[in-house]
Amino acid sequence: MRARHYGDFLGARPAIGWVEVHSENYFGAGGYDRHVLERVRRDYAVSLHGVGLGLGSVHGFSAAHLKKLAELAAWIDPVLVSEHLSWGATSSRHLNDLLPLPCSAEALALVAGRVEVVQDALRRRILVENISAYVDPGANEMQEGEFLSELARRTGCGVLLDVNNLYVNQVNLGRDALTQMEKLHSVEEIHLAGHLARGDLLIDHHGDRVAGPVWRLYEAALERFGPVPTLIEWDTDIPALEVLLEEAAKAGARMEARHALSA
């Protein structure tokens, strides 16, 4: 849910099942954003999606940030809370980005410890999302799907599978998306989004309709994981809400078709 669409939610009840918001946009103690979120929560389940916690930051993991997230979750009672498998801070600077971690035993131990800290503070499970990347940090000892599945096994967290990120990384880094998907379990939410092509590079800009190859990967994800709650992300060049509802309807139709095949 973006600010451009607040009026759509306050003036009517769009035919959707749930909404997701960026947690950090609602950390303030009051104001119009919190007012809208409280109103929307009366009619819809709300998911909190964080972008700034930095689960994999060796230094700079913010207890103050976590405290604000815990207060927000206690206030709004979300159906889901999620964060990214990334790092984004040093001891002296926040980098304002989602940067990739090596898929190593050392990184896994660090992130698992952080997830446990977060879950203890929130008194609830969280989901951890795979990110898009433009460089490979190296030192990989396992595939990303294995990393996330082992993280879920150790901590009890779930996985938020971003299908567009899988495809972006397949093109940018040569990581086969289906192979990564086959290693995953505990998937409890799926993200779909558009990307931007710049020559041989794909940029995960969340500013377009879902691309054909991503829809095909989504169909494969439904076949593997079943009917998982699915969100359309659109964060740049945000169109009218009707465009997002059209994309959500496409996801819903694919989910219903998969359910019919398995019935």
Side-chain angles (χ1 to χ4, degrees), residues 20-24 27 48-53 65 69 81-84 98 129:
E20 189 161 277
V21 299
H22 283 167
S23 306
E24 290 81 2
F27 276 2
L48 297 179
H49 185 53
V51 296
L53 198 53
H65 190 112
L69 177 60
V81 179
S82 56
E83 250 295 350
H84 296 83
L98 303 172
E129 180 186 7

Side-chain angles (χ1 to χ4, degrees), residues 23-218:
S23 306
E24 290 81 2
N25 290 343
Y26 301 88
F27 276 2
Y32 187 62
D33 291 324
R34 296 264 294 209
H35 165 72
V36 173
L37 183 59
E38 186 174 31
R39 286 277 305 274
V40 169
R41 182 66 180 86
R42 298 173 191 171
D43 298 325
Y44 301 97
V46 170
S47 172
L48 297 179
H49 185 53
V51 296
L53 198 53
L55 294 173
S57 297
V58 175
H59 304 290
F61 183 78
S62 172
H65 190 112
L66 178 55
K67 183 175 184 291
K68 290 178 181 178
L69 177 60
E71 291 170 348
L72 176 63
W75 174 66
I76 206 65
D77 190 24
V79 64
L80 297 169
V81 179
S82 56
E83 250 295 350
H84 296 83
L85 179 64
S86 65
W87 70 279
T90 67
S91 57
S92 60
R93 183 180 178 188
H94 191 279
L95 302 174
N96 197 32
D97 205 346
L98 303 172
L99 300 172
L101 290 163
C103 291
S104 65
E106 182 180 22
L108 177 59
L110 171 66
V111 176
R114 291 284 171 70
V115 168
E116 290 173 348
V117 168
V118 173
Q119 293 184 147
D120 287 347
L122 270 55
R123 299 183 180 180
R124 64 176 72 220
R125 297 170 63 249
I126 67 169
L127 309 183
V128 179
E129 180 186 7
N130 59 301
I131 68 167
S132 58
Y134 309 99
V135 294
D136 190 329
N140 296 311
E141 299 168 359
M142 63 192 84
Q143 296 190 52
E144 183 181 57
E146 295 172 306
F147 188 107
L148 282 165
S149 291
E150 178 60 17
L151 180 66
R153 188 193 69 80
R154 291 190 190 186
T155 67
C157 75
V159 174
L160 194 174
L161 173 60
D162 190 309
V163 176
N164 185 64
N165 288 350
L166 279 185
Y167 182 68
V168 167
N169 291 350
Q170 175 175 281
V171 173
N172 291 348
L173 304 177
R175 298 176 181 172
D176 183 74
L178 289 175
T179 298
Q180 299 298 326
M181 197 183 299
E182 288 167 1
K183 303 293 183 182
L184 284 171
H185 62 73
S186 302
V187 172
E188 300 179 28
E189 182 184 347
I190 289 176
H191 277 182
L192 297 170
H195 55 253
L196 178 67
R198 282 290 181 263
D200 295 332
L201 182 73
L202 295 185
I203 300 171
D204 178 41
H205 77 326
H206 296 183
D208 204 346
R209 292 180 182 268
V210 179
V214 178
W215 281 124
R216 290 189 286 275
L217 282 174
Y218 178 59

